[in-house]
Amino acid sequence: MLAAVGHDSVEALVKAAVPASIHVAERATSDIPPAASEAEALAELRELASANRPARPMIGLGYYDTFTPSVITRNVLENPSWYTAYTPYQPEISQGRLEALITFQTMVTDLTGLATANASMLDESTAVAEGMLLARRASKSRSDVFVVDADALPQTKAVLRQRAAAVGITLVELALADGAALPEELFGLFVQYPGASGRVWDPTGVIDAAHVAGGLSVVAADLLALTLLRSPGSLGADVAVGTTQRFGVPMGFGGPHAGYMAVRQGLERQLPGRLVGVSQDADGQPAYRLALQTREQHIRREKATSNICTAQVLLAVMAAMYAVYHGPDGLRAIAVDVARKAEALAQRLRDYGQSVHHDAFFDTIRVTVPGLARTVIDRARSKGYQLFWADEATVGISVDETTTADDLAAIAWAFGAPEADEHGDRQVEWEQAEPLAQVAASLRRDDEYLTHPVFHTHRSETAMMRYLKQLADRDYALDRGMIPLGSCTMKLNAATEMAAVSWPEFARVHPFAPEADVHGYLAMIEQLETWLAEVTGYDSVSLQPNAGSQGELAGLLAIRGYHRANGDEARTVCLIPSSAHGTNAASAVLAGMRVVVVACDDAGNVDLDDLRAKIAAHAETLAALMITYPSTHGVYEQDVVQITQAVHDAGGQVYVDGANLNALLGYARFGDLGGDVSHLNLHKTFAIPHGGGGPGIGPVAAKAHLAPYLPSHPLAQRADHAGGVRFEGGPVSAAPYGSAGILPISWAYVRMMGAAGLRDATAAAVLSANYLAARLREHFPVLYTGASGLVAHECILDLRPLREQTGITVDDVAKRLIDYGFHAPTMSFPVAGTLMVEPTESEDIDELDRFIEAMIAIKAEASAVAAGEWPADDNPLVNAPHTAASVATDSWTHPYPRELAVYPVASLVRAKYWPPVRRIDQAWGDRHLVCACPPIEAFA
């Protein structure tokens, strides 16, 4: 490989690629300990896990213990066919995930009673915030007022405050269930159903009143409760949001979990995030793909309705399969069981003189104990239970599907009831309780849901296992081969790194558990924060953002908070290079900034002259510059220090997007090259799996002057980040530490690599990218290189000359790569008509050579088309990909042999991935928007 790139050593190669002005010497001392073996890392994780005190969480507030069916744990959560897959932008090789996601969408629309649902959100609180923004876009009202239910979850209120302040929305909190009058003008209304206190009430009247005032209604609803309670759609809601966590997804100290959003008919085009739709392939067969507005988020930039990275695919799959496995009858039975237990507990407490706040509830009650709330909670904790401290006089209790009769008796004892009777008597007691005893008949659900056959077919473990295997076999993930996606860093998610995710000491922990019960989690989080601060050159790190998009938003909000604290309210302009990710511009708008685009020069670098001109034009209003380093074009910009200095000289701050950090670790640090704040993608550089398009974690790291404005949380166990920095910003996600349940993955990655290993990984990634560039340069021009003629960790292959010479498009090449057994590189980003290739350090030379062989062979096939050997409209490229069905036919009429279609290289004969569908017609799907499970007859 070194011979191909013309360097004597890996170290010499990287030093030639990385500008000397930003090199950092290897540190003599480090906070990161020397690399541990797999066994040693697991032993340390076991020690951290053991420091978390086992408890039965009954805190509620949107998080519940749940039983994950073992068949789903083994075949989805712990299965690399699911967790190593990428976002399904190449639908022909993502049909299994897309089917699971459209099942998720169908589950949500059925339970919420609304027309269309998207393919998941990040969590409930951010889903409510997105619902608020949707209401503002769709409402015809000119008001800036959004009404918030006083009985909303506290974390949701906090997120709403942060998001509303950034974009000039006025929040008005009202006790809606008590009949508070709405303002005369508003653009939207938010109702929690059931309320955070557990209260179940009929919001129909207030929803109608909001409509009269010109506003849209957003209802956050518990999906399990909706198996028994009337749907938001039937109550008149325009938008329903919430979480699917209790559908078999462990709490994980806050995540990851799949939020949801559904909308009434007419609001489909306003949906944020991703939407799976039904189209057809080249043979007219039904096929799934991501629908229109998913792509619009990329191309609309600052005009995008949301950030495209808003999804939790792996967890949405788990929740959907939980519904598939249990079916409507099973879900209803679980809900009845939960409601019975809550009613039995409430009645027992009433029998012993306690005052229960509300008569109508589903799974949560609030009990008045004047001056004794702490005593009751301490008594419960002595028995191993965690309750919610609402105030000095109020204790909250939530039951779930894991709650037992013994649990109910222990909680009653904590409130002063005598020691319980025999277990059998307690069991009978709660089994005889009437579920939803005081809920009005008008709020009881009487319509059918989950009627599609998929929710009635796979009830045995045998059937479920085979169904999950069938879906996985339709997909291409890292367990099949390289996914060489530029800008996405699809690297190995090592088995040892993944091991602790399923441990109950990490998985079954409530995000608002008392600090004394989560010492292990907090110690691990502090270590990881410290390690990330060191490798990036920053002073403080927050792990709260549960996606790269949220990390971007948190960093920009920190900049806005800093400027406001200094009295610089007018600093709202964010400079963004034209090559930047579309997410950058969307995040800037969500942070209340105005985007000004900076041009790039012919070499793909930021145009310094244009940058200086834009800085001068906006000198008094400049808030920030967002840049990606190495650049989005895959090169190390030589002038990065000049760029950052120019922004600082004008009073602005520098946001360095961490998407390409895998090309920098150990050789340079964002904080040293002038960055003030960055987000990091743990699902890229630090080995957390992409999970088919989520989970992701996007921690935000900052210099000391911005550290106080990093995300805070009203229910956090501690009020500082690593290093003791207290914060003043608001939360950007529902849980204090975001998707903490998967942080053991990145902890294990850094622990087993050590500082030297991280540096070696960078070098290997840069070597691999330059090897591909060197080997393919004579076949496909490499669009951008640095001053040394080298690329960073990825390279852009220019396919525009190929199209001009042969008529073969970048789409044709991408689809033909499927026939060769590859996921396509990133298509047409950041330059239309190109492929951006990132091999990462995880691929060996055999896999790199296999990809090189495929690309050279495809070039030869394109040349054959140009030479007239095959017609322009009937050749292996324009007909790709080829399915087994398309070649197993008596009527093969194409001018090329079947063997060439499906076995273009000999190595595929014994290791063939067969795509389940042919090329999908995207435009047809956009003209016929169908986003729920099609009837079984469609596949006949």
Side-chain angles (χ1 to χ4, degrees):
M1 292 172 74
L2 286 166
V5 300
H7 283 271
D8 295 332
S9 70
V10 177
E11 189 72 10
L13 165 70
V14 181
K15 287 192 172 180
V18 178
S21 60
I22 65 170
H23 275 187
V24 294
E26 290 191 65
R27 295 168 64 92
T29 61
S30 173
D31 290 325
I32 302 174
S37 69
E38 293 186 346
E40 290 167 341
L42 286 177
E44 289 185 31
L45 274 173
R46 282 289 183 193
E47 188 174 346
L48 288 168
S50 68
N52 290 331
R53 179 178 180 267
R56 298 279 285 158
M58 301 182 75
I59 297 169
L61 298 182
Y63 298 93
Y64 301 88
D65 205 0
T66 181
F67 292 128
T68 308
S70 296
V71 66
I72 295 175
T73 298
R74 177 61 60 87
N75 293 288
V76 179
L77 178 61
E78 297 176 348
N79 183 349
S81 294
W82 289 97
Y83 68 70
T84 69
Y86 182 61
T87 305
Y89 295 136
Q90 290 285 324
E92 293 85 0
I93 56 177
S94 308
Q95 289 295 294
R97 256 168 303 137
L98 289 166
E99 179 170 324
L101 288 175
I102 208 165
T103 300
F104 175 89
Q105 292 176 183
T106 303
M107 172 190 81
V108 171
T109 55
D110 278 12
L111 290 174
T112 60
L114 289 165
T116 307
N118 67 10
S120 77
M121 303 293 284
L122 295 175
D123 57 40
E124 177 167 332
S125 296
T126 56
V128 174
E130 292 288 353
M132 173 180 71
L133 297 176
L134 186 155
R136 193 185 205 188
R137 293 193 300 272
S139 172
K140 295 179 181 178
S141 170
R142 295 186 176 181
S143 170
D144 65 357
V145 171
F146 187 70
V147 174
V148 177
D149 190 349
D151 201 14
L153 300 174
Q155 67 270 27
T156 296
K157 292 181 186 179
V159 169
L160 284 174
R161 284 193 294 270
Q162 173 84 322
R163 297 291 294 273
V167 292
I169 291 173
T170 300
L171 299 182
V172 176
E173 184 174 321
L174 296 173
L176 299 174
D178 294 330
L182 297 182
E184 290 185 9
E185 294 184 347
L186 54 87
F187 73 81
L189 166 83
F190 167 54
V191 176
Q192 191 86 43
Y193 176 75
S197 67
R199 186 175 187 176
V200 174
W201 62 288
D202 188 347
T204 306
V206 75
I207 289 173
D208 290 344
H211 288 156
V212 170
L216 272 65
S217 58
V218 180
V219 175
D222 183 317
L223 287 187
L224 189 63
L226 293 185
T227 65
L228 304 179
L229 299 176
R230 279 182 60 188
S231 68
S234 72
L235 300 173
D238 300 289
V239 182
V241 293
T243 178
T244 59
Q245 180 268 314
R246 68 188 314 172
F247 276 29
V249 182
M251 290 178 292
F253 202 40
H257 309 131
Y260 74 82
M261 177 179 285
V263 296
R264 63 164 167 79
Q265 189 171 359
L267 294 176
E268 300 88 355
R269 300 287 172 173
Q270 298 286 354
L271 268 171
R274 302 172 187 151
L275 179 65
V276 177
V278 182
S279 188
Q280 61 183 21
D281 73 358
D283 288 332
Q285 295 300 308
Y288 306 110
R289 52 28 128 195
L290 292 177
L292 177 64
Q293 68 265 45
T294 301
R295 299 195 306 281
E296 286 180 344
Q297 307 305 326
H298 283 297
I299 61 178
R300 295 183 69 198
R301 297 172 64 84
E302 68 272 14
K303 295 181 178 63
T305 55
S306 77
N307 201 307
I308 190 62
C309 296
T310 305
Q312 297 275 25
V313 170
L314 184 69
L315 300 315
V317 171
M318 290 181 65
M321 293 306 117
Y322 181 90
V324 166
Y325 196 41
H326 287 295
D329 296 337
L331 292 180
R332 188 181 297 109
I334 292 170
V336 166
D337 181 58
V338 167
R340 276 197 177 122
K341 287 182 279 195
E343 181 60 37
L345 177 60
Q347 190 54 53
R348 178 177 280 258
L349 292 174
R350 291 190 196 103
D351 290 345
Y352 288 99
Q354 301 296 343
S355 174
V356 177
H357 279 207
H358 308 300
D359 293 329
F361 50 82
F362 168 59
D363 64 1
T364 296
I365 60 175
R366 292 277 174 91
V367 185
T368 300
V369 284
L372 297 175
R374 187 60 61 194
T375 300
V376 170
I377 288 173
D378 288 344
R379 279 171 61 86
R381 189 167 178 274
S382 72
K383 292 280 191 178
Y385 298 90
Q386 296 164 343
L387 306 183
F388 175 60
W389 183 87
D391 55 47
E392 290 292 348
T394 311
V395 176
I397 313 153
S398 295
V399 301
D400 54 53
E401 67 169 317
T402 72
T403 306
T404 67
D406 288 340
D407 297 335
L408 300 179
I411 297 305
W413 171 86
F415 280 89
E419 289 288 348
D421 304 323
E422 291 301 313
H423 173 78
D425 294 335
R426 296 197 300 272
Q427 192 81 11
V428 170
E429 178 185 337
W430 68 257
E431 285 181 349
Q432 291 180 340
E434 180 186 352
L436 306 180
Q438 300 299 318
V439 173
S442 61
L443 281 177
R444 307 286 185 101
R445 186 155 197 162
D446 58 8
D447 60 319
E448 288 190 301
Y449 47 84
L450 305 186
T451 58
H452 191 277
V454 73
F455 299 108
H456 297 263
T457 307
H458 313 289
R459 296 293 181 75
S460 71
E461 181 166 333
T462 307
M464 191 68 186
M465 174 182 66
R466 289 172 180 164
Y467 179 55
L468 292 170
K469 174 65 172 172
Q470 180 187 77
L471 293 180
D473 282 348
R474 295 176 188 166
D475 281 12
Y476 188 102
L478 275 173
D479 61 337
R480 290 188 185 273
M482 178 166 65
I483 302 181
L485 284 152
S487 189
C488 295
T489 315
M490 297 295 294
K491 66 200 293 178
L492 174 69
N493 316 121
T496 297
E497 294 158 9
M498 299 294 296
V501 168
S502 302
W503 295 353
E505 299 94 333
F506 288 130
R508 300 183 72 175
V509 179
H510 197 285
F512 308 144
E515 180 178 0
D517 291 353
V518 291
H519 284 316
Y521 250 126
L522 295 179
M524 181 187 69
I525 286 167
E526 183 163 8
Q527 288 174 16
L528 186 55
E529 287 177 344
T530 300
W531 297 345
L532 294 176
E534 176 179 313
V535 299
T536 56
Y538 287 119
D539 300 305
S540 191
V541 175
S542 167
L543 297 171
Q544 187 184 116
N546 50 9
S549 58
Q550 299 301 101
E552 290 180 13
L553 177 61
L556 292 171
L557 288 173
I559 290 173
R560 288 284 281 135
Y562 171 75
H563 284 314
R564 286 174 174 170
N566 291 335
D568 290 330
E569 295 279 349
R571 289 193 177 274
T572 60
V573 168
C574 185
L575 304 179
I576 300 180
S578 59
S579 64
H581 299 91
T583 59
N584 287 172
S587 295
V589 171
L590 292 173
M593 295 184 178
R594 181 164 65 90
V595 174
V596 173
V597 178
V598 178
C600 290
D601 62 22
D602 292 340
N605 302 314
V606 172
D607 186 320
L608 274 173
D609 291 335
D610 190 56
L611 173 69
R612 292 188 177 108
K614 296 290 170 58
I615 290 174
H618 303 282
E620 301 302 317
T621 57
L622 177 61
L625 166 73
M626 290 188 84
I627 59 169
T628 301
Y629 199 84
S631 77
T632 309
H633 289 133
V635 295
Y636 299 98
E637 297 200 32
Q638 297 292 316
D639 298 325
V640 63
V641 175
Q642 291 178 256
I643 291 169
T644 59
Q645 188 60 52
V647 174
H648 287 150
D649 289 344
Q653 298 288 290
V654 175
Y655 182 103
V656 182
D657 185 315
N660 294 340
L661 182 57
N662 209 51
L664 217 61
L665 278 183
Y667 288 90
R669 307 192 306 172
F670 292 152
D672 296 337
L673 54 85
D676 297 293
V677 63
S678 297
H679 86 272
L680 321 174
N681 296 107
L682 299 194
H683 53 287
K684 296 182 182 183
T685 307
F686 295 94
I688 287 177
H690 280 66
I697 299 184
V700 58
K703 290 288 194 176
H705 65 284
L706 292 184
Y709 308 101
L710 294 181
S712 63
H713 198 284
L715 298 173
Q717 285 79 7
R718 65 184 189 194
D720 55 41
H721 301 294
V725 179
R726 298 187 66 81
F727 44 72
E728 302 169 19
V732 294
S733 66
Y737 304 100
S739 295
I742 51 176
L743 291 177
I745 302 170
S746 292
W747 184 97
Y749 175 75
V750 178
R751 185 68 188 88
M752 292 191 294
M753 296 288 275
L758 296 175
R759 183 180 171 92
D760 289 345
T762 296
V766 173
L767 173 61
S768 293
N770 279 281
Y771 177 69
L772 285 182
R775 291 285 311 277
L776 289 173
R777 185 173 278 114
E778 65 182 276
H779 305 281
F780 305 94
V782 175
L783 194 54
Y784 298 112
T785 60
S788 59
L790 299 170
V791 299
H793 63 314
E794 58 194 3
C795 61
I796 298 177
L797 304 178
D798 193 351
L799 271 64
R800 291 172 296 183
L802 183 74
R803 181 172 185 171
E804 294 168 4
Q805 296 160 11
T806 69
I808 296 301
T809 69
V810 67
D811 277 19
D812 296 331
V813 174
K815 304 310 179 188
R816 184 59 172 155
L817 276 168
I818 297 171
D819 290 331
Y820 280 81
F822 280 102
H823 192 297
T826 300
M827 292 169 50
S828 295
F829 174 83
V831 180
T834 67
L835 290 177
M836 184 159 63
V837 189
E838 182 182 357
T840 83
E841 74 277 12
S842 300
E843 303 298 340
D844 60 31
I845 192 171
D846 291 338
E847 188 71 353
L848 301 181
D849 285 343
R850 192 170 76 87
F851 178 77
I852 292 165
E853 177 189 25
M855 289 297 293
I856 293 172
I858 288 171
K859 171 71 178 297
E861 291 174 350
S863 297
V865 174
E869 295 180 28
W870 298 316
D873 61 351
D874 190 6
N875 58 70
L877 294 121
V878 299
N879 291 332
H882 297 82
T883 61
S886 71
V887 296
T889 174
D890 292 333
S891 56
W892 182 262
T893 59
H894 302 294
Y896 53 93
R898 298 179 224 235
E899 292 83 0
L900 180 66
V902 297
Y903 296 131
V905 291
S907 61
L908 293 170
V909 174
R910 297 187 66 180
K912 173 71 177 176
Y913 165 73
W914 291 96
V917 296
R918 295 190 63 198
R919 194 175 306 193
I920 294 172
D921 188 336
Q922 298 280 8
W924 191 94
D926 289 336
R927 291 193 303 271
H928 306 84
L929 194 62
V930 175
C931 299
C933 292
I936 213 76
E937 297 78 27
F939 297 92

